[in-house]
Amino acid sequence: LISMSLWLWVTERDENRERHPYNLPITFEGVDSLEERGLMLVTPNVTANLYIRATPMVLAAFNENPPKLTANVSNISTEGAQRVAYSYSLPAGISENDVEISARNSSGMAVDVDIARFLRRENVEIQGEFQGSAAEGYLPGDKDDFRFSPATLTISGRADQVNQVAYAKVIITDEELTEAVGKDMPFQLIGASGDPLDNLDVTCDVDMIYTSFPIRATAEIPLEVKVI
């Protein structure tokens, strides 16, 4: 008991310990207000570093529950690079008097974020392409026979990238089909040149499109010519 008491006494008096937690995530508030102004946050996964000076017992509490960082972007009204201040909240049971927290950089407790123009496009066309094959005695439908649900897409995201999309395409690659296709299928976003667009920072209102496409049976009918 005496040893434990001395250890606790020394621990509480030792205020020269410092911890430097890396990559603490920042939670952004007011993102909905940005979208109402036609803007969006391009860099949502932003982190910051903090230096924390406290006793070992207080520092040990941060192992399980580190400080939470928040930044408010609701007041931003222009696109481009913006510097936003952030604040921290301490875990329950730890007060401001127990710690000394600093950022130790030229910008202080602030981070740089990218703001871009936000665009939401509705009624984006969906097209279908049959690249599979029908079994012998069957015939695939035409391009106009495709039916989709939903009939169109809604795409939202960075305006410069949303505007690159010309239409969405569903491709059927099943082989030796003997009956009509009717299932949820993935799709690609296609640009004006007809090439797929990859790595776009956009969001579609659906992840899959229910696609219907006919496969028709064929038959050989003898033709009899009657001369009158």
Side-chain angles (χ1 to χ4, degrees):
L1 289 175
I2 294 174
S3 300
M4 183 176 293
S5 300
L6 288 173
W7 179 80
L8 290 173
W9 179 77
V10 171
T11 300
E12 289 298 326
R13 287 179 56 85
D14 184 5
E15 298 180 356
N16 296 321
R17 300 290 181 88
E18 185 177 69
R19 180 183 175 188
H20 181 196
Y22 294 91
N23 298 324
L24 291 176
I26 298 178
T27 301
F28 289 95
E29 301 175 344
V31 176
D32 293 340
S33 299
L34 280 180
E35 295 183 0
E36 292 174 359
R37 299 189 185 98
L39 300 173
M40 66 174 293
L41 182 65
V42 179
T43 51
N45 300 320
V46 179
T47 60
N49 300 328
L50 290 181
Y51 290 83
I52 304 175
R53 182 180 292 276
T55 63
M57 290 189 66
V58 173
L59 290 177
F62 290 115
N63 292 331
E64 299 271 337
N65 195 3
K68 292 180 172 56
L69 309 184
T70 57
N72 195 306
V73 296
S74 61
N75 294 326
I76 297 178
S77 58
T78 57
E79 57 185 304
Q82 305 286 339
R83 179 159 292 180
V84 181
Y86 63 86
S87 59
Y88 63 85
S89 59
L90 298 174
I94 299 178
S95 67
E96 292 285 347
N97 298 328
D98 297 330
V99 296
E100 295 178 13
I101 296 181
S102 61
R104 292 188 188 177
N105 55 54
S106 59
S107 59
M109 288 191 181
V111 290
D112 294 325
V113 297
D114 291 330
I115 305 296
R117 185 63 53 187
F118 176 80
L119 178 63
R120 178 184 175 88
R121 271 181 60 195
E122 299 179 352
N123 300 322
V124 176
E125 181 187 6
I126 303 174
Q127 297 183 10
E129 181 177 346
F130 184 76
Q131 295 182 358
S133 64
E136 184 177 356
Y138 294 86
L139 185 68
D142 298 325
K143 182 178 181 180
D144 295 336
D145 292 327
F146 278 94
R147 296 294 181 267
F148 306 107
S149 180
T152 59
L153 284 183
T154 297
I155 304 176
S156 58
R158 296 181 55 171
D160 57 340
Q161 297 193 12
V162 172
N163 285 328
Q164 295 180 33
V165 180
Y167 59 93
K169 178 187 286 187
V170 176
I171 301 177
I172 296 177
T173 58
D174 299 336
E175 301 290 339
E176 298 295 316
L177 292 173
T178 59
E179 58 184 16
V181 176
K183 59 182 178 179
D184 288 323
M185 297 193 63
F187 58 91
Q188 296 177 332
L189 298 179
I190 308 299
S193 63
D195 297 322
L197 300 172
D198 298 321
N199 301 321
L200 288 184
D201 186 17
V202 298
T203 302
C204 299
D205 59 339
V206 295
D207 296 326
M208 305 284 282
I209 298 175
Y210 187 84
T211 303
S212 301
F213 184 72
I215 300 294
R216 302 183 177 96
T218 62
E220 292 187 5
I221 301 177
L223 176 63
E224 178 182 349
V225 180
K226 183 177 181 182
V227 181
I228 299 177

